[in-house]
Amino acid sequence: MSDMSNTLEDIHTSDSLGEKAEIFGSGKGNVSGFSSPSLIPLHAPLQPPNAQLSRTAVCQGNRKIKEGEESLLAAPVPSLFPELIPSTVSSLVSDCLLPWTKSGATQLLCTEERSMNFHARRVTLPAITPLCLQKRVIKVYTEDNTSRAVEVPTDITARDICQLFVLKNHCIDDHSWTLFEHLSHLGIERIIEDHESVMEVLSGWGMDTDSRLYFRKNYAKYEFFNKPLDSFPDHMVSISSETNGMMNHSQLIQTFLNSSTCPEIHGHLHAKEQGRKSWKKFYFVLRRSGLYFSNKGTSKEPRHLQFIAEFSDSDVYTFLSARKIHGAPTDYGFCVKSTKCGSPRDLKLLCADDEQTRTCWVTAMRLFKYGMQLYQNFIQPHQKQKTSPMRSISENSLVAMDFSGHKSRVIENPSEALSVAVEEGLSWRRKSCHRLSSHGSPSTSQSPMSNIALHMAQPWFHSKLSRDEAHLLITQQGLIDGVFILRDSQSNPNTFVLSLCHTQRIKHFQILPVDEEGELFYSLDDGHTRFTDLIQLVDFYQLNRGVLPCKLKHHCARITL
């Protein structure tokens, strides 16, 4: 025992690492029992009477020499859990600690022992990430400012969050649900692309800013893939390729997705000069290398182009209220914001003369930054639908049938099948109207109460919505042809209004009630085409343009989280 004590004293007093290694190599020491002295709590009041062991005695008892043991330099790295904490030390700690502190101290010992530095061979073992760091609680808002807090993984994407809220709120997933980054203190917002990490977006927010995530529809998110020529007017796009000015839809988009081609967006924009309140009009050029403006008319010569921003570390935002907040000359403002800066002075404020021009600039900036990734985001939901066996089987099994005769028959003519379907729908609706109107009354004529009961529950009907609120709602959910809502008229309480988007402009059409022989109908064309209720009216104009500039395609939906 005295020999072993002398050996241990030599280890502690030796200043040379070579001497220590020599001692272990000769079989006089074993490092597997070493423990970090700082981890052993020796608070006298907490020790039981039978645990009066000194610190030296504990260390000596765990440094017993075993004959025939391999040297430290040739021995493998010890296991993470069983050999790092000696049983004597563990029992001592367990006896010394109070019941409610034992578990925390044990975890501390495990964590400290994993990073132990051995005297003869310094080994740092990888730390284990706590489970609490793998999830985070976020709050998401909707247009009516209702919110919901959910716990999500740290690697979640914007598409994942949209899918989560679609399931939780039982929404129809038409791939238009979108997550927005809303920076109230700057008066701007942007689309968070489906593939973007939400936690990376949140990491760029300041602690004292009122920044939010919004969940709502946006039908225009990928509209440029469906109708690229509408999003990119000919007078704003220049392409250095052998197309002689003639290009179809696919070729135009391909130039943006292909890094070898050099598309260019150019045109006049209003810009707010740094440190001034005034706006000035300049000629701007957007290329893959960045955004430039010309200091000499419309010249594109390199000596006349001044660099403004590039998009590898910047994002493009639209203004929430360009005139009111930033004093812009029009309502079609947007800006370029660096991901590293959140100050209003660092924003590159721009303003277009109309919505189509702004859409062109913003869309091109998104394409230049993300390229092919945006196209993959666009086609991913459609690919899932095609590969889904449940969907393909159900679609193949849908057959139009006629059960009016003695024997059923398959309707092979598509026009006949459509007319039969419409007639059956109208017949069912007439029966439902009859049941509603006759409930508590022998009369079979429709009443205003029955009409309200029919359309009030429809997702496209927003009862008490003003003209400005309807304009804002449609703008937020996408200025593409066919986006619509129905609402109560603010000027005439007995009528309704159809708000419809066409050519990126919102138009309002009044729906007038028509009373004929005690029966109430609704019409958009002064009674020439009449409908028994608003559901019939919407169904008709979804199939026929009629007096409208385009068919009804997408309704604005508002949900409460």
Side-chain angles (χ1 to χ4, degrees):
M1 181 66 183
S2 60
D3 294 340
M4 184 178 68
S5 301
N6 295 334
T7 303
L8 292 175
E9 291 177 359
D10 293 339
I11 294 172
H12 284 288
T13 58
S14 178
D15 296 330
S16 171
L17 181 61
E19 294 178 6
K20 297 177 182 179
E22 184 177 358
I23 293 174
F24 287 112
S26 61
K28 297 179 180 180
N30 179 18
V31 81
S32 62
F34 279 23
S35 60
S36 178
S38 62
L39 298 179
I40 306 176
L42 295 176
H43 303 288
L46 299 179
Q47 293 184 4
N50 60 349
Q52 301 295 331
L53 295 178
S54 67
R55 178 172 179 174
T56 305
V58 173
C59 293
Q60 291 177 350
N62 285 284
R63 293 173 179 167
K64 294 181 179 180
I65 304 172
K66 296 181 181 180
E67 295 182 0
E69 193 173 40
E70 295 181 359
S71 66
L72 171 67
L73 298 178
V77 179
S79 174
L80 285 178
F81 300 104
E83 298 178 8
L84 287 180
I85 304 178
S87 59
T88 306
V89 177
S90 300
S91 62
L92 176 61
V93 173
S94 178
D95 292 337
C96 291
L97 295 180
L98 296 176
W100 56 83
T101 62
K102 290 181 181 180
S103 60
T106 305
Q107 293 176 2
L108 176 63
L109 281 171
C110 294
T111 305
E112 292 292 338
E113 290 290 338
R114 290 191 190 102
S115 59
M116 181 187 299
N117 293 328
F118 296 99
H119 291 284
R121 184 178 180 182
R122 304 181 72 87
V123 180
T124 302
L125 300 177
I128 298 177
T129 304
L131 294 177
C132 61
L133 298 180
Q134 298 179 4
K135 288 189 177 183
R136 180 174 172 180
V137 177
I138 63 172
K139 183 179 287 188
V140 181
Y141 292 81
T142 58
E143 293 98 334
D144 57 359
N145 287 325
T146 60
S147 64
R148 184 167 184 174
V150 292
E151 186 180 30
V152 296
T154 55
D155 60 346
I156 195 168
T157 63
R159 185 190 293 274
D160 296 333
I161 289 184
C162 290
Q163 293 293 319
L164 175 65
F165 279 98
V166 164
L167 293 175
K168 284 183 175 294
N169 294 277
H170 308 286
C171 305
I172 298 176
D173 188 11
D174 55 0
H175 316 305
S176 62
W177 293 103
T178 310
L179 200 65
F180 284 82
E181 180 187 9
H182 185 99
L183 307 180
S184 301
H185 64 290
L186 298 177
I188 57 177
E189 71 173 13
R190 75 174 179 98
I191 294 173
I192 302 178
E193 305 297 348
D194 289 338
H195 67 279
E196 283 191 80
S197 170
V198 177
M199 297 308 165
E200 290 184 6
V201 175
L202 299 182
S203 64
W205 293 359
M207 298 298 294
D208 56 345
T209 59
D210 185 18
S211 303
R212 294 181 176 183
L213 296 176
Y214 272 86
F215 171 71
R216 64 171 180 257
K217 281 181 173 291
N218 182 27
Y219 294 106
K221 180 167 57 174
Y222 299 126
E223 183 65 12
F224 55 90
F225 285 121
N226 297 320
K227 298 180 179 179
L229 297 182
D230 294 344
S231 301
F232 300 104
D234 293 337
H235 66 277
M236 293 185 61
V237 183
S238 298
I239 301 174
S240 57
S241 59
E242 299 178 358
T243 58
N244 297 325
M246 301 299 294
M247 184 170 296
N248 58 28
H249 291 194
S250 60
Q251 290 175 336
L252 177 59
I253 288 297
Q254 189 63 32
T255 57
F256 286 96
L257 301 180
N258 189 358
S259 59
S260 62
T261 56
C262 301
E264 181 182 275
I265 306 296
H266 53 84
H268 286 90
L269 290 172
H270 302 273
K272 190 172 184 180
E273 299 183 75
Q274 190 72 23
R276 298 184 181 181
K277 294 183 178 180
S278 60
W279 291 71
K280 191 175 180 179
K281 206 167 190 177
F282 292 95
Y283 186 77
F284 283 82
V285 178
L286 177 63
R287 297 171 178 170
R288 290 196 185 277
S289 57
L291 179 65
Y292 306 83
F293 78 94
S294 177
N295 56 17
K296 190 175 182 180
T298 59
S299 174
K300 295 183 182 180
E301 295 184 17
R303 59 193 180 96
H304 294 150
L305 293 180
Q306 300 292 322
F307 175 79
I308 294 183
E310 56 95 19
F311 301 99
S312 62
D313 60 348
S314 299
D315 294 303
V316 57
Y317 293 75
T318 56
F319 290 155
L320 301 175
S321 180
R323 293 180 185 267
K324 182 178 181 180
I325 299 178
H326 301 283
T330 71
D331 291 323
Y332 312 108
F334 62 100
C335 69
V336 179
K337 175 184 172 296
S338 173
T339 55
K340 302 177 182 179
C341 302
S343 173
R345 294 178 297 178
D346 300 322
L347 301 179
K348 306 299 189 298
L349 305 180
L350 304 169
C351 185
D353 289 327
D354 53 64
E355 182 61 41
Q356 186 182 35
T357 302
R358 179 173 69 170
T359 301
C360 179
W361 286 100
V362 172
T363 304
M365 292 176 184
R366 291 173 58 201
L367 281 169
F368 279 149
K369 180 173 183 177
Y370 297 109
M372 185 60 71
Q373 182 64 57
L374 285 188
Y375 184 70
Q376 293 175 355
N377 295 345
F378 166 65
I379 64 175
Q380 182 178 352
H382 305 284
Q383 289 178 338
K384 289 183 178 180
Q385 286 183 353
K386 292 180 180 179
T387 57
S388 173
M390 294 296 294
R391 185 177 181 87
S392 60
I393 292 175
S394 61
E395 285 180 347
N396 293 335
S397 62
L398 292 177
V399 180
M401 301 289 294
D402 177 19
F403 298 97
S404 59
H406 295 287
K407 294 183 179 179
S408 60
R409 67 182 182 91
V410 176
I411 304 176
E412 298 180 355
N413 188 345
S415 300
E416 183 185 0
L418 179 60
S419 62
V420 170
V422 172
E423 179 60 29
E424 288 182 354
L426 296 179
S427 175
W428 173 85
R429 190 164 292 119
R430 283 193 294 268
K431 292 179 181 179
S432 64
C433 293
H434 175 77
R435 288 194 301 269
L436 286 171
S437 61
S438 60
H439 182 68
S441 173
S443 175
T444 60
S445 63
Q446 287 182 280
S447 64
M449 186 58 65
S450 68
N451 293 328
I452 293 176
L454 283 173
H455 66 255
M456 284 292 290
Q458 300 302 314
W460 39 256
F461 186 76
H462 305 266
S463 56
K464 297 180 180 180
L465 205 65
S466 67
R467 185 185 185 97
D468 293 338
E469 290 172 336
H471 191 283
L472 177 61
L473 180 60
I474 294 178
T475 302
Q476 289 179 339
Q477 300 201 6
L479 291 176
I480 65 174
D481 291 354
V483 178
F484 74 97
I485 62 171
L486 265 73
R487 56 188 177 87
D488 291 320
S489 175
Q490 299 293 313
S491 57
N492 191 345
N494 297 323
T495 62
F496 302 95
V497 176
L498 169 66
S499 299
L500 174 66
C501 180
H502 177 62
T503 63
Q504 297 184 338
R505 295 182 179 180
I506 301 174
K507 302 179 181 180
H508 307 274
F509 303 89
Q510 197 169 34
I511 303 174
L512 299 175
V514 179
D515 190 355
E516 182 177 329
E517 297 180 357
E519 291 193 38
L520 186 64
F521 298 93
Y522 296 95
S523 176
L524 271 172
D525 52 5
D526 297 329
H528 295 289
T529 308
R530 294 171 293 180
F531 306 94
T532 58
D533 54 61
L534 296 183
I535 299 180
Q536 270 193 10
L537 184 145
V538 171
D539 288 348
F540 176 82
Y541 286 108
Q542 284 179 329
L543 300 174
N544 308 275
R545 191 182 73 175
V547 296
L548 299 177
C550 63
K551 298 178 184 179
L552 307 182
K553 295 181 181 178
H554 312 288
H555 67 270
C556 292
R558 300 178 69 176
I559 63 172
T560 300
L561 296 180

